[in-house]
Amino acid sequence: MTRKISFLSLFAATSCLPLAAVAQAPRVTAPARPKLVVVIVIDQFRNEYLTRYAPFFGDGGFKWLMRNGANLSNAHYTYGTTYTGPGHALILSGSYGHTNGIIGNRWYNRATNRAESMFFDPNAKLLGVEAVPKDDDTSPRNFIGSNLSDQLLLSNNFKSKAIGVSLKDRAAIMLAGKLGKAYWYHEKAGGIISSSYYMTDLPAWVRQFNALKIPDSYFGKTWTKLLPEAAYSISRADDTPNELTTEVTGRTFPHLLTDKAGKPTATYYEGFTATPFATGYQLQLAQLAIENEQLGADEYPDILGISITPTDIAGHAFGPDSHEVQDIIVRLDGQLANFFSYLNRRFRNNEVVIAMTSDHGACPLPEYMQSLGIEAGRIKKKQISDAMEAAITARFGASNPDTKWVTTLEDPGVFLNQSLIAERKLDAAEVQRVAGEAAMKVKGMAAYYTRAQFLSGQLPPNRWASFFEKSFYPERSGDVLLQTKPFYFWGSWGERDEGSTHGSPYEYDTHVPLILAGRGIRPGNYATAADITDLAPTLAAVLGINAPAGNEGRTLHEILTTDERR
Ligand SMILES: [Zn+2]
């Protein structure tokens, strides 16, 4: 159980002053701080979902948080690559990729000549799974600077604790920071793992949790709709063309959770993450972390970051506006209500701060938009590279027989063959420009920005160029960054003809919830513009610690009570 010690009694116990003197010496010491900061990131969650699904929410979940917290209803990302990795890297650091180096979920590593996951670290091994992590995220090594978890641990010589949990590696890693501890799910384990970067072995409580085999217990179960059928009429038809038919859940309700092997395999364990059962599983893990790591139990504040994954997995497969996303979110509301009431039982009023946001929104299914007469589409990588290859060849001559001008594409970046450009003594800026112009002939492309423009500060003076500037880090970014028109995308989901994605600078991807509640926060609705980078410095103010090193955000002083505004 938590030890419940009031700040005054603690002071009296350790002070040599009589109590009366303490009472007469206000504000000499730091004001009481929260004991626990819980940061909830819902992966792929547009701000509009809070309105759209409100008729189906109970009183204890999202509505409880909005009623008791500061709801910043006009909070946005202001960059060009709204993906999970960069989003989570930003949420607790207050910095964009141009500062923290996390410019995408993957990029081409010119030193190893291969595209690598953002947090791939050859020196870190996964714990709790037999897997060769050639394409896994294994440590926060590539993140540059510090985040809020790091700053909190640095502020008191690691008396605080910082833990990140998620079904996704990169999400858990970036909530824990460089100095905290991250736990995530791996489909090859069907359970929770970590990395040798953080520890030598999984703690007993995680191994015990895994032994429960909770994902297995849903094998053969059916995911049915929570609400009466009529409630789903605010979503498009359940059986919409171009939704993804997954091996584990199929395409339409009712979703029988199965695996053609007849028993759970890695395919099943991966499919499980697209269901609402997986959100409950994650919140169980979060609760166990609080209890077993004694989070919020002493006078040193702790941080628990929870990134909820199934909203994103189902959002990709079935698309936003689907019955599945509606059902997961309405169920999540009830699951959060249980989690909040658990926090309320375990902690006293004002001992906890809860912050909620998302890493990005989502683009509608392009084919659905087309069916409504709205221009939308998927762009194939080959269309882009063929157009560029042809244009560069026409202008500068053929590449060598064993190479190409375009090395690889990792959206939004195109990586050109820099060594061939140097070998031929070409003007790199001009090659980039020719490549960018060629991409503009591909249907659905809107603009391009070149390495030379970023480095010389000669970007076009518009909003979108400034968004992409925040996503450019010279050692890691491509030579040309491409911006699509709204409702178009390319990359892994552009290569398929099913499912949808995110990653653009447009409203459907950038406008996400930002809600803070608890100790030091003044409840209310705030419609002033906020950037998601504002979250980290605001929480730093509540905790009375330095904001993260690369912070670019603003402390949202208007939502702080006078005590915290010192
Ligand atoms: Zn996603």
Side-chain angles (χ1 to χ4, degrees):
M1 278 307 293
T2 326
R3 283 187 303 142
K4 292 185 173 170
I5 305 167
S6 79
F7 177 74
L8 193 63
S9 70
L10 180 76
F11 189 90
T14 54
S15 166
C16 54
L17 291 174
L19 260 181
V22 173
Q24 284 162 14
R27 318 245 49 86
V28 175
T29 56
R33 302 185 293 172
K35 291 186 161 191
L36 178 63
V37 174
V38 180
V39 178
I40 301 172
V41 183
I42 309 176
D43 203 316
Q44 191 179 134
F45 194 98
R46 291 184 195 148
N47 184 70
E48 69 163 12
Y49 293 170
L50 293 173
T51 316
R52 175 178 188 154
Y53 303 122
F56 314 112
F57 291 159
D59 285 332
F62 292 113
K63 284 182 178 170
W64 178 86
L65 195 63
M66 287 190 279
R67 201 170 50 243
N68 290 281
N71 181 14
L72 294 128
S73 57
N74 189 15
H76 285 76
Y77 287 97
T78 56
Y79 72 145
T81 43
T82 42
Y83 289 108
T84 295
H88 281 78
L90 180 157
I91 285 167
L92 285 188
S93 76
S95 61
Y96 282 102
H98 63 171
T99 302
N100 68 40
I102 304 303
I103 50 151
N105 283 352
R106 353 174 7 96
W107 57 83
Y108 182 72
N109 183 336
R110 292 187 187 274
T112 58
N113 290 322
R114 68 178 200 115
E116 285 172 359
S117 204
M118 56 184 273
F119 284 140
F120 172 69
D121 178 353
N123 298 318
K125 297 199 169 25
L126 296 179
L127 295 177
V129 65
E130 296 292 324
V132 184
K134 263 173 66 184
D135 214 28
D136 279 301
D137 292 305
T138 49
S139 96
R141 185 191 58 147
N142 284 339
F143 172 80
I144 296 162
S146 63
N147 81 354
L148 193 75
S149 294
D150 299 326
Q151 292 301 144
L152 181 62
L153 296 169
L154 289 168
S155 75
N156 55 27
N157 194 28
F158 295 84
K159 295 239 174 356
S160 290
K161 289 174 188 148
I163 291 182
V165 295
S166 177
L167 298 186
K168 276 192 195 174
D169 40 20
R170 49 187 172 269
I173 288 171
M174 235 21 278
L175 293 175
K178 295 204 147 182
L179 302 175
K181 286 188 166 50
Y183 300 100
W184 62 91
Y185 177 87
H186 200 292
E187 70 278 2
K188 290 205 176 90
I192 302 302
I193 66 157
S194 188
S195 150
S196 62
Y197 174 88
Y198 299 104
M199 58 196 83
T200 52
D201 201 2
L202 291 176
W205 67 268
V206 173
R207 279 185 271 122
Q208 284 157 12
F209 180 65
N210 285 338
L212 298 175
K213 292 195 168 293
I214 292 169
D216 294 59
S217 70
Y218 291 98
F219 187 81
K221 296 249 164 69
T222 302
W223 169 19
T224 54
K225 292 179 187 178
L226 180 72
L227 302 169
E229 188 59 37
Y232 297 86
S233 63
I234 60 159
S235 293
R236 55 173 164 66
D238 185 17
D239 193 6
T240 296
N242 303 91
E243 286 194 5
L244 182 72
T245 306
T246 84
E247 236 179 84
V248 175
T249 60
R251 193 170 88 174
T252 54
F253 277 101
H255 293 283
L256 171 68
L257 271 68
T258 184
D259 190 320
K260 63 179 182 223
K263 62 176 180 21
T265 66
T267 307
Y268 166 79
Y269 290 127
E270 194 173 359
F272 171 70
T273 64
T275 73
F277 310 127
T279 55
Y281 172 68
Q282 287 196 264
L283 288 166
Q284 264 180 283
L285 176 70
Q287 201 167 310
L288 281 177
I290 292 172
E291 283 161 21
N292 289 279
E293 299 289 336
Q294 287 289 296
L295 300 184
D298 61 22
E299 67 271 37
Y300 300 104
D302 302 320
I303 292 186
L304 174 63
I306 309 165
S307 179
I308 304 280
T309 309
T311 34
D312 183 67
I313 310 295
H316 279 292
F318 308 108
D321 318 303
S322 62
H323 289 218
E324 287 82 0
V325 167
Q326 179 177 352
D327 197 74
I328 283 189
I329 289 170
V330 173
R331 286 174 186 268
L332 175 60
D333 178 64
Q335 289 158 336
L336 286 173
N338 289 339
F339 184 65
F340 294 153
S341 91
Y342 163 77
L343 291 176
N344 285 331
R345 285 196 307 277
R346 187 170 177 91
F347 298 99
R348 280 191 304 208
N349 200 16
N350 254 0
E351 287 185 338
V352 176
V353 169
I354 300 172
M356 180 183 282
T357 187
S358 175
D359 52 350
H360 53 74
C363 180
L365 282 177
E367 295 78 9
Y368 171 67
M369 298 304 275
Q370 289 165 358
S371 76
L372 301 174
I374 294 174
E375 195 188 337
R378 300 168 197 267
I379 301 168
K380 308 290 179 200
K381 289 185 184 179
K382 192 168 183 315
Q383 291 176 269
I384 302 167
S385 55
D386 283 357
M388 288 184 166
E389 204 68 41
I392 301 173
T393 300
R395 171 77 185 275
F396 300 103
S399 60
N400 294 343
D402 54 340
T403 59
K404 291 197 158 185
W405 288 111
V406 179
T407 301
T408 195
L409 294 90
E410 286 291 341
D411 61 307
V414 177
F415 294 77
L416 299 176
N417 191 335
Q418 289 183 350
S419 45
L420 185 60
I421 292 167
E423 187 189 307
R424 301 273 179 96
K425 298 192 169 50
L426 302 178
D427 175 359
E430 185 58 9
V431 181
Q432 292 158 17
R433 194 192 64 76
V434 169
E437 284 298 326
M440 293 307 101
K441 302 210 167 65
V442 175
K443 188 166 184 278
M445 282 298 176
Y448 69 93
Y449 310 97
T450 68
R451 170 173 292 270
Q453 285 178 311
F454 287 117
L455 295 182
S456 63
Q458 290 180 330
L459 288 165
N462 66 48
R463 172 180 172 85
W464 307 121
S466 78
F467 274 42
F468 279 86
E469 187 279 325
K470 291 180 190 170
S471 297
F472 183 81
Y473 195 85
E475 289 84 53
R476 297 177 181 179
S477 289
D479 299 292
V480 183
L481 268 54
L482 298 174
Q483 179 183 355
T484 67
K485 291 180 183 172
F487 304 125
Y488 280 88
F489 52 78
W490 67 281
S492 56
W493 290 91
E495 297 300 291
R496 302 164 177 256
D497 290 311
E498 294 173 315
S500 193
T501 193
H502 46 85
S504 81
Y506 301 120
E507 284 279 335
Y508 50 78
D509 280 339
T510 61
H511 191 185
V512 296
L514 184 60
I515 309 171
L516 292 90
R519 161 109 227 151
I521 306 296
R522 187 194 297 270
N525 285 313
Y526 301 83
T528 46
D531 194 288
I532 306 306
T533 50
D534 300 341
L535 176 61
T538 302
L539 288 175
V542 171
L543 287 163
I545 61 172
N546 258 19
N551 171 48
E552 307 169 30
R554 171 179 83 87
T555 301
L556 297 165
H557 61 88
E558 63 272 30
I559 72 163
L560 300 180
T561 59
T562 39
D563 266 10
E564 318 302 321
R565 283 205 269 184
R566 294 152 287 128

